[in-house]
């Protein structure tokens, strides 16, 4: 058993040692690969995407979420109150242990103080 634990520790340690990179090495790799980035036009394309995203600032955003929960214990009225409810004509069964929630959210920017327009203008350079 100890042998397997030692093997796992050595295996995990080998991955962590191989993943280390220094700041100087990162700078060197960035300067070596910069011509490749420029060759593919990635900087210009990212600017175009930024401008396009800034123009979408007034498009409505829609989000849908759902949740289901099961409670192991729920609150209930004491048993002495149930006859009183039945005399009043209320048939109270208590809360369900399973509960569901569905939410549809719609967000629409009406006014952002010119942020979208200034972002689009600033991204163009």
């Amino acid at each position: 058993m100890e042998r397997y634990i030692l093997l796992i520790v050595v295996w995990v340690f080998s991955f962590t040692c191989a993943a280390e990179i220094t700041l100087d090495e990162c700078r060197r790799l960035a300067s070596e690969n910069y011509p490749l980035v420029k060759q593919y036009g990635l900087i210009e394309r990212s600017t175009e995407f930024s401008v396009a995203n800034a123009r979408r600032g007034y498009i409505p955003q829609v989000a849908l979420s759902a949740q289901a929960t099961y409670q192991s214990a729920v609150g209930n009225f004491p048993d002495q109150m149930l006859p009183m409810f039945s005399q009043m004509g209320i048939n109270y069964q208590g809360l369900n242990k399973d509960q569901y929630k569905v939410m549809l959210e719609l967000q629409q920017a009406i006014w952002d103080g010119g942020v979208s327009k200034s972002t689009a203008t600033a991204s163009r350079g």
Side-chain angles (χ1 to χ4, degrees), residues 53-59 108-120:
N53 287 337
R55 288 182 187 150
R56 292 186 182 114
Y58 287 106
I59 296 176
Q108 170 68 50
I110 297 172
W111 182 71
D112 66 353
V115 173
S116 297
K117 187 175 180 180
S118 66
T119 304

PDB file of all heavy atoms in Angstrom, residues 53-59 108-120:
ATOM      1  N   ASN A  53     -18.501  43.812 -29.816  1.00  0.00           N
ATOM      2  CA  ASN A  53     -19.126  43.582 -28.507  1.00  0.00           C
ATOM      3  C   ASN A  53     -19.614  44.878 -27.887  1.00  0.00           C
ATOM      4  O   ASN A  53     -20.648  44.903 -27.229  1.00  0.00           O
ATOM      5  CB  ASN A  53     -18.144  42.881 -27.571  1.00  0.00           C
ATOM      6  CG  ASN A  53     -17.941  41.437 -27.948  1.00  0.00           C
ATOM      7  OD1 ASN A  53     -18.777  40.832 -28.599  1.00  0.00           O
ATOM      8  ND2 ASN A  53     -16.819  40.879 -27.540  1.00  0.00           N
ATOM      9  N   ALA A  54     -18.888  45.973 -28.082  1.00  0.00           N
ATOM     10  CA  ALA A  54     -19.329  47.254 -27.541  1.00  0.00           C
ATOM     11  C   ALA A  54     -20.612  47.714 -28.217  1.00  0.00           C
ATOM     12  O   ALA A  54     -21.470  48.326 -27.593  1.00  0.00           O
ATOM     13  CB  ALA A  54     -18.233  48.299 -27.716  1.00  0.00           C
ATOM     14  N   ARG A  55     -20.758  47.419 -29.501  1.00  0.00           N
ATOM     15  CA  ARG A  55     -21.980  47.804 -30.210  1.00  0.00           C
ATOM     16  C   ARG A  55     -23.186  47.001 -29.733  1.00  0.00           C
ATOM     17  O   ARG A  55     -24.316  47.408 -29.921  1.00  0.00           O
ATOM     18  CB  ARG A  55     -21.793  47.590 -31.712  1.00  0.00           C
ATOM     19  CG  ARG A  55     -20.860  48.589 -32.332  1.00  0.00           C
ATOM     20  CD  ARG A  55     -20.755  48.369 -33.813  1.00  0.00           C
ATOM     21  NE  ARG A  55     -19.744  49.228 -34.388  1.00  0.00           N
ATOM     22  CZ  ARG A  55     -19.020  48.922 -35.448  1.00  0.00           C
ATOM     23  NH1 ARG A  55     -19.206  47.780 -36.067  1.00  0.00           N
ATOM     24  NH2 ARG A  55     -18.108  49.753 -35.902  1.00  0.00           N
ATOM     25  N   ARG A  56     -22.928  45.845 -29.157  1.00  0.00           N
ATOM     26  CA  ARG A  56     -24.022  44.987 -28.693  1.00  0.00           C
ATOM     27  C   ARG A  56     -24.487  45.354 -27.282  1.00  0.00           C
ATOM     28  O   ARG A  56     -25.245  44.619 -26.674  1.00  0.00           O
ATOM     29  CB  ARG A  56     -23.572  43.533 -28.700  1.00  0.00           C
ATOM     30  CG  ARG A  56     -23.348  43.002 -30.082  1.00  0.00           C
ATOM     31  CD  ARG A  56     -23.052  41.510 -30.043  1.00  0.00           C
ATOM     32  NE  ARG A  56     -22.782  41.029 -31.366  1.00  0.00           N
ATOM     33  CZ  ARG A  56     -21.622  40.559 -31.781  1.00  0.00           C
ATOM     34  NH1 ARG A  56     -20.613  40.493 -30.945  1.00  0.00           N
ATOM     35  NH2 ARG A  56     -21.467  40.141 -33.002  1.00  0.00           N
ATOM     36  N   GLY A  57     -24.036  46.474 -26.765  1.00  0.00           N
ATOM     37  CA  GLY A  57     -24.369  46.868 -25.402  1.00  0.00           C
ATOM     38  C   GLY A  57     -25.848  47.072 -25.158  1.00  0.00           C
ATOM     39  O   GLY A  57     -26.323  46.922 -24.042  1.00  0.00           O
ATOM     40  N   TYR A  58     -26.601  47.416 -26.186  1.00  0.00           N
ATOM     41  CA  TYR A  58     -28.031  47.667 -26.022  1.00  0.00           C
ATOM     42  C   TYR A  58     -28.901  46.481 -26.418  1.00  0.00           C
ATOM     43  O   TYR A  58     -30.121  46.565 -26.359  1.00  0.00           O
ATOM     44  CB  TYR A  58     -28.442  48.900 -26.838  1.00  0.00           C
ATOM     45  CG  TYR A  58     -27.943  50.182 -26.223  1.00  0.00           C
ATOM     46  CD1 TYR A  58     -26.895  50.881 -26.783  1.00  0.00           C
ATOM     47  CD2 TYR A  58     -28.519  50.670 -25.065  1.00  0.00           C
ATOM     48  CE1 TYR A  58     -26.437  52.054 -26.216  1.00  0.00           C
ATOM     49  CE2 TYR A  58     -28.065  51.830 -24.482  1.00  0.00           C
ATOM     50  CZ  TYR A  58     -27.025  52.520 -25.059  1.00  0.00           C
ATOM     51  OH  TYR A  58     -26.577  53.667 -24.485  1.00  0.00           O
ATOM     52  N   ILE A  59     -28.294  45.373 -26.828  1.00  0.00           N
ATOM     53  CA  ILE A  59     -29.081  44.182 -27.171  1.00  0.00           C
ATOM     54  C   ILE A  59     -29.576  43.541 -25.872  1.00  0.00           C
ATOM     55  O   ILE A  59     -28.814  43.397 -24.917  1.00  0.00           O
ATOM     56  CB  ILE A  59     -28.240  43.190 -27.983  1.00  0.00           C
ATOM     57  CG1 ILE A  59     -27.857  43.819 -29.323  1.00  0.00           C
ATOM     58  CG2 ILE A  59     -28.977  41.874 -28.186  1.00  0.00           C
ATOM     59  CD1 ILE A  59     -26.946  42.949 -30.167  1.00  0.00           C
ATOM     60  N   GLN A 108     -32.337  44.741 -20.214  1.00  0.00           N
ATOM     61  CA  GLN A 108     -32.216  45.654 -21.345  1.00  0.00           C
ATOM     62  C   GLN A 108     -31.602  46.954 -20.845  1.00  0.00           C
ATOM     63  O   GLN A 108     -32.143  47.590 -19.955  1.00  0.00           O
ATOM     64  CB  GLN A 108     -33.597  45.926 -21.962  1.00  0.00           C
ATOM     65  CG  GLN A 108     -33.609  47.043 -22.973  1.00  0.00           C
ATOM     66  CD  GLN A 108     -32.852  46.696 -24.240  1.00  0.00           C
ATOM     67  OE1 GLN A 108     -33.093  45.652 -24.805  1.00  0.00           O
ATOM     68  NE2 GLN A 108     -31.947  47.547 -24.671  1.00  0.00           N
ATOM     69  N   ALA A 109     -30.463  47.316 -21.419  1.00  0.00           N
ATOM     70  CA  ALA A 109     -29.840  48.597 -21.066  1.00  0.00           C
ATOM     71  C   ALA A 109     -30.624  49.710 -21.740  1.00  0.00           C
ATOM     72  O   ALA A 109     -30.815  49.699 -22.954  1.00  0.00           O
ATOM     73  CB  ALA A 109     -28.391  48.622 -21.506  1.00  0.00           C
ATOM     74  N   ILE A 110     -31.089  50.652 -20.959  1.00  0.00           N
ATOM     75  CA  ILE A 110     -31.819  51.788 -21.495  1.00  0.00           C
ATOM     76  C   ILE A 110     -30.856  52.944 -21.744  1.00  0.00           C
ATOM     77  O   ILE A 110     -30.893  53.585 -22.780  1.00  0.00           O
ATOM     78  CB  ILE A 110     -32.942  52.204 -20.525  1.00  0.00           C
ATOM     79  CG1 ILE A 110     -33.938  51.056 -20.404  1.00  0.00           C
ATOM     80  CG2 ILE A 110     -33.632  53.463 -21.009  1.00  0.00           C
ATOM     81  CD1 ILE A 110     -34.987  51.267 -19.348  1.00  0.00           C
ATOM     82  N   TRP A 111     -29.980  53.182 -20.791  1.00  0.00           N
ATOM     83  CA  TRP A 111     -29.010  54.265 -20.916  1.00  0.00           C
ATOM     84  C   TRP A 111     -27.771  53.870 -20.131  1.00  0.00           C
ATOM     85  O   TRP A 111     -27.863  53.457 -18.973  1.00  0.00           O
ATOM     86  CB  TRP A 111     -29.606  55.548 -20.364  1.00  0.00           C
ATOM     87  CG  TRP A 111     -28.708  56.742 -20.494  1.00  0.00           C
ATOM     88  CD1 TRP A 111     -28.377  57.396 -21.641  1.00  0.00           C
ATOM     89  CD2 TRP A 111     -28.031  57.421 -19.444  1.00  0.00           C
ATOM     90  NE1 TRP A 111     -27.538  58.438 -21.377  1.00  0.00           N
ATOM     91  CE2 TRP A 111     -27.304  58.478 -20.023  1.00  0.00           C
ATOM     92  CE3 TRP A 111     -27.955  57.245 -18.079  1.00  0.00           C
ATOM     93  CZ2 TRP A 111     -26.524  59.345 -19.287  1.00  0.00           C
ATOM     94  CZ3 TRP A 111     -27.179  58.115 -17.347  1.00  0.00           C
ATOM     95  CH2 TRP A 111     -26.479  59.154 -17.954  1.00  0.00           C
ATOM     96  N   ASP A 112     -26.603  53.950 -20.740  1.00  0.00           N
ATOM     97  CA  ASP A 112     -25.368  53.600 -20.047  1.00  0.00           C
ATOM     98  C   ASP A 112     -24.405  54.767 -19.944  1.00  0.00           C
ATOM     99  O   ASP A 112     -23.232  54.583 -19.647  1.00  0.00           O
ATOM    100  CB  ASP A 112     -24.692  52.407 -20.710  1.00  0.00           C
ATOM    101  CG  ASP A 112     -24.186  52.707 -22.107  1.00  0.00           C
ATOM    102  OD1 ASP A 112     -24.463  53.798 -22.624  1.00  0.00           O
ATOM    103  OD2 ASP A 112     -23.509  51.838 -22.689  1.00  0.00           O
ATOM    104  N   GLY A 113     -24.876  55.949 -20.197  1.00  0.00           N
ATOM    105  CA  GLY A 113     -24.044  57.130 -20.061  1.00  0.00           C
ATOM    106  C   GLY A 113     -22.992  57.271 -21.143  1.00  0.00           C
ATOM    107  O   GLY A 113     -21.995  57.944 -20.955  1.00  0.00           O
ATOM    108  N   GLY A 114     -23.177  56.619 -22.268  1.00  0.00           N
ATOM    109  CA  GLY A 114     -22.229  56.709 -23.370  1.00  0.00           C
ATOM    110  C   GLY A 114     -21.072  55.735 -23.279  1.00  0.00           C
ATOM    111  O   GLY A 114     -20.120  55.826 -24.058  1.00  0.00           O
ATOM    112  N   VAL A 115     -21.115  54.794 -22.351  1.00  0.00           N
ATOM    113  CA  VAL A 115     -20.019  53.844 -22.171  1.00  0.00           C
ATOM    114  C   VAL A 115     -19.859  52.954 -23.398  1.00  0.00           C
ATOM    115  O   VAL A 115     -18.742  52.726 -23.874  1.00  0.00           O
ATOM    116  CB  VAL A 115     -20.244  52.994 -20.899  1.00  0.00           C
ATOM    117  CG1 VAL A 115     -19.226  51.892 -20.788  1.00  0.00           C
ATOM    118  CG2 VAL A 115     -20.221  53.866 -19.670  1.00  0.00           C
ATOM    119  N   SER A 116     -20.946  52.445 -23.952  1.00  0.00           N
ATOM    120  CA  SER A 116     -20.860  51.565 -25.116  1.00  0.00           C
ATOM    121  C   SER A 116     -20.252  52.292 -26.314  1.00  0.00           C
ATOM    122  O   SER A 116     -19.379  51.754 -27.000  1.00  0.00           O
ATOM    123  CB  SER A 116     -22.245  51.044 -25.503  1.00  0.00           C
ATOM    124  OG  SER A 116     -22.769  50.259 -24.477  1.00  0.00           O
ATOM    125  N   LYS A 117     -20.668  53.512 -26.534  1.00  0.00           N
ATOM    126  CA  LYS A 117     -20.156  54.265 -27.667  1.00  0.00           C
ATOM    127  C   LYS A 117     -18.680  54.608 -27.478  1.00  0.00           C
ATOM    128  O   LYS A 117     -17.887  54.492 -28.409  1.00  0.00           O
ATOM    129  CB  LYS A 117     -20.976  55.542 -27.853  1.00  0.00           C
ATOM    130  CG  LYS A 117     -20.622  56.303 -29.109  1.00  0.00           C
ATOM    131  CD  LYS A 117     -21.540  57.484 -29.294  1.00  0.00           C
ATOM    132  CE  LYS A 117     -21.177  58.250 -30.560  1.00  0.00           C
ATOM    133  NZ  LYS A 117     -22.042  59.403 -30.760  1.00  0.00           N
ATOM    134  N   SER A 118     -18.290  55.014 -26.279  1.00  0.00           N
ATOM    135  CA  SER A 118     -16.901  55.363 -26.041  1.00  0.00           C
ATOM    136  C   SER A 118     -16.004  54.137 -26.091  1.00  0.00           C
ATOM    137  O   SER A 118     -14.865  54.210 -26.534  1.00  0.00           O
ATOM    138  CB  SER A 118     -16.740  56.075 -24.702  1.00  0.00           C
ATOM    139  OG  SER A 118     -17.047  55.199 -23.631  1.00  0.00           O
ATOM    140  N   THR A 119     -16.503  52.966 -25.669  1.00  0.00           N
ATOM    141  CA  THR A 119     -15.736  51.732 -25.753  1.00  0.00           C
ATOM    142  C   THR A 119     -15.509  51.357 -27.198  1.00  0.00           C
ATOM    143  O   THR A 119     -14.414  50.935 -27.588  1.00  0.00           O
ATOM    144  CB  THR A 119     -16.444  50.594 -25.004  1.00  0.00           C
ATOM    145  OG1 THR A 119     -16.673  51.000 -23.662  1.00  0.00           O
ATOM    146  CG2 THR A 119     -15.622  49.338 -25.018  1.00  0.00           C
ATOM    147  N   ALA A 120     -16.531  51.501 -28.019  1.00  0.00           N
ATOM    148  CA  ALA A 120     -16.391  51.178 -29.445  1.00  0.00           C
ATOM    149  C   ALA A 120     -15.406  52.118 -30.122  1.00  0.00           C
ATOM    150  O   ALA A 120     -14.587  51.697 -30.939  1.00  0.00           O
ATOM    151  CB  ALA A 120     -17.744  51.245 -30.136  1.00  0.00           C
TER     152      ALA A 120
END
